Amino acid sequence: MRENYLKINHMGKRNKIINELISEHLNSPTEEKRIFCLKELVSMAEKDMDASEYGIYRQKISKGNFSFVDISENRFPEQLKKIYDPPLVLFYEGNLEMLNKRPCIAIVGSRKCSNYGRQVAYDFAKSLSKAGITVISGMAYGIDSSAHIGALTGQGSTVAVMGTGIDKCYPAKNKSLHDQISKKGLLITEFGVGVNPLPYNFPRRNRIISGLCDALIVIEAGLESGALITADFALEQGKDVYSVPSGIMGNYGMGSNKLIKQGAECLLDIAEVIDIYAKANNATPLEKLAETTMTDAEKKLLETIEYESPVHIDKLLSCNMMGVNEIKSALMMLLIKDKIYLEPGDKYCIKK
């Protein structure tokens, strides 16, 4: 079954006929019909593929530092089996079990956001994480990244739902965050190995973000933000949708305000969400870990930022005190350890 689902998934963009066959295969009350639809789908996939190219693709999966799970397996996230148009295959790196063991709250918003929006996303995610709730987002710039960092700072878990293949990092500047999530949380995607960040991928990705969560929080979504697509999916899936209000004079959060006007819950205090989901799901709050010792690289960077705060990342990279990757990794760890914070324009400031 795993091989069949991999072949179907490899077809890429779905059309109406493929979606109908997949729906019949998954939902038909008769086994005969389910088997017939599966054979049709596999036949379509094999006609569509180059056998030699698929063989190379399959080797990459076998040799990759990641795993995959298909919808027929018990390990497949139960929440996603219930949504319309579920993924047949999920590629992942990290701890898949966290999706079934703890309540999950998604935090989404715009890439272009204010410092206020970043801070709210960070603080809310950190509080949820400390309360034993897994934070889900899409690893984009802005609100998504702030939510992931906040969750890691809270010493809890976070899930990044990707709009690319599992072997890609998008955006590339989030490589340090990507690596931290793979070690301490979960990276997950339905897109096959080698798939680039195509515009079509992200709206499809959003249905998985909403499908995995128990509730969705929207922060600073513009009127055309993809976060509103995620909110639509969440409502269709019967999930609770919360929206953090924004000022009416700016452009950052008009989509969030519109959601509230349309009936989304106005969220002013993250304690409201924690009371509902942590208690209802018996989540165990995580004890605050002892202060983590800092590496020499982290100490050097912290001294520089403390002396010149705020400091643009280009200036830190040009100091020649260490390699570029080492600097980026150390900056990410300082963010996670709550020693510094990031202002718009890639400027790092000391946390007082």
Side-chain angles (χ1 to χ4, degrees):
M1 189 68 81
R2 282 163 66 86
E3 199 62 42
N4 287 334
Y5 283 147
L6 273 179
K7 288 179 179 179
I8 298 167
N9 189 70
H10 189 56
M11 282 194 286
K13 194 170 182 178
R14 297 181 184 177
N15 57 35
K16 185 178 179 181
I17 294 174
I18 293 173
N19 282 336
E20 287 177 352
L21 283 170
I22 289 174
S23 180
E24 285 287 321
H25 165 63
L26 295 175
N27 302 310
S28 176
T30 66
E31 184 177 3
E32 183 180 5
K33 182 69 172 179
R34 293 195 297 272
I35 293 173
F36 171 79
C37 290
L38 179 61
K39 287 181 178 178
E40 286 291 304
L41 286 163
V42 173
S43 176
M44 291 172 66
E46 290 177 342
K47 287 178 182 177
D48 187 58
M49 74 172 60
D50 178 288
S52 176
E53 184 273 334
Y54 182 75
I56 296 171
Y57 172 77
R58 196 64 183 84
Q59 285 181 0
K60 289 180 180 178
I61 293 175
S62 299
K63 295 179 180 179
N65 295 320
F66 54 84
S67 304
F68 75 92
V69 60
D70 71 65
I71 198 168
S72 70
E73 298 180 63
N74 291 333
R75 297 182 302 122
F76 192 89
E78 194 62 35
Q79 310 95 303
L80 287 186
K81 293 181 180 181
K82 302 172 184 176
I83 70 170
Y84 172 74
D85 187 21
L88 295 180
V89 175
L90 289 171
F91 299 91
Y92 67 94
E93 187 175 352
N95 181 12
L96 186 68
E97 292 303 314
M98 69 172 60
L99 290 173
N100 293 322
K101 289 186 176 180
R102 303 172 66 193
C104 298
I105 303 295
I107 296 178
V108 296
S110 293
R111 291 168 174 80
K112 294 181 180 179
C113 60
S114 70
N115 200 37
Y116 157 80
R118 290 175 187 268
Q119 193 64 51
V120 171
Y122 174 90
D123 289 344
F124 278 16
K126 183 177 178 181
S127 295
L128 289 168
S129 178
K130 283 185 174 181
I133 295 173
T134 295
V135 176
I136 300 174
S137 198
M139 210 176 69
Y141 287 136
I143 299 299
D144 288 17
S145 294
S146 297
H148 288 307
I149 293 170
L152 291 170
T153 305
Q155 306 295 354
S157 54
T158 188
V159 178
V161 184
M162 302 164 63
T164 65
I166 194 70
D167 57 329
K168 302 283 185 177
C169 176
Y170 181 80
K173 286 186 178 180
N174 269 355
K175 183 66 169 65
S176 294
L177 178 59
H178 172 280
D179 292 346
Q180 287 298 318
I181 294 173
S182 71
K183 295 173 185 174
K184 300 179 180 181
L186 175 68
L187 299 169
I188 195 165
T189 181
E190 71 175 315
F191 299 107
V193 176
V195 173
N196 290 315
L198 303 173
Y200 163 82
N201 295 354
F202 295 94
R204 283 193 62 77
R205 179 276 306 270
N206 292 348
R207 85 193 194 287
I208 296 180
I209 292 176
S210 60
L212 287 172
C213 73
D214 296 297
L216 176 77
I217 298 173
V218 181
I219 301 172
E220 280 200 341
L223 289 172
E224 297 183 0
S225 171
L228 300 184
I229 297 174
T230 312
D232 286 340
F233 279 129
L235 290 170
E236 289 173 7
Q237 294 161 358
K239 308 295 177 70
D240 290 332
V241 175
Y242 298 86
S243 187
V244 176
S246 294
I248 63 172
M249 300 301 289
N251 297 320
Y252 290 117
M254 295 308 292
S256 301
N257 291 342
K258 184 179 178 181
L259 283 175
I260 294 170
K261 189 175 180 181
Q262 292 174 338
E265 291 286 335
C266 179
L267 184 61
L268 302 177
D269 187 348
I270 194 60
E272 300 172 30
V273 176
I274 292 172
D275 284 346
I276 293 171
Y277 292 97
K279 292 179 180 179
N281 292 277
N282 295 316
T284 303
L286 298 165
E287 295 296 328
K288 184 174 179 64
L289 299 185
E291 186 71 18
T292 309
T293 57
M294 290 192 290
T295 64
D296 289 340
E298 291 165 16
K299 289 176 182 177
K300 288 179 182 178
L301 282 173
L302 193 62
E303 288 173 4
T304 303
I305 296 170
E306 189 170 20
Y307 180 71
E308 299 187 42
S309 182
V311 188
H312 194 276
I313 188 170
D314 288 345
K315 186 165 186 178
L316 294 171
L317 294 175
S318 66
C319 288
N320 295 321
M321 65 177 82
M322 61 194 85
V324 172
N325 289 335
E326 189 178 5
I327 290 174
K328 289 182 176 180
S329 178
L331 285 172
M332 180 57 61
M333 290 309 300
L334 288 172
L335 285 168
I336 291 171
K337 292 174 182 178
D338 215 17
K339 298 293 185 183
I340 60 174
Y341 66 93
L342 182 61
E343 284 190 344
D346 286 335
K347 294 179 180 179
Y348 290 88
C349 301
I350 201 76
K351 197 77 176 280
K352 296 179 180 179

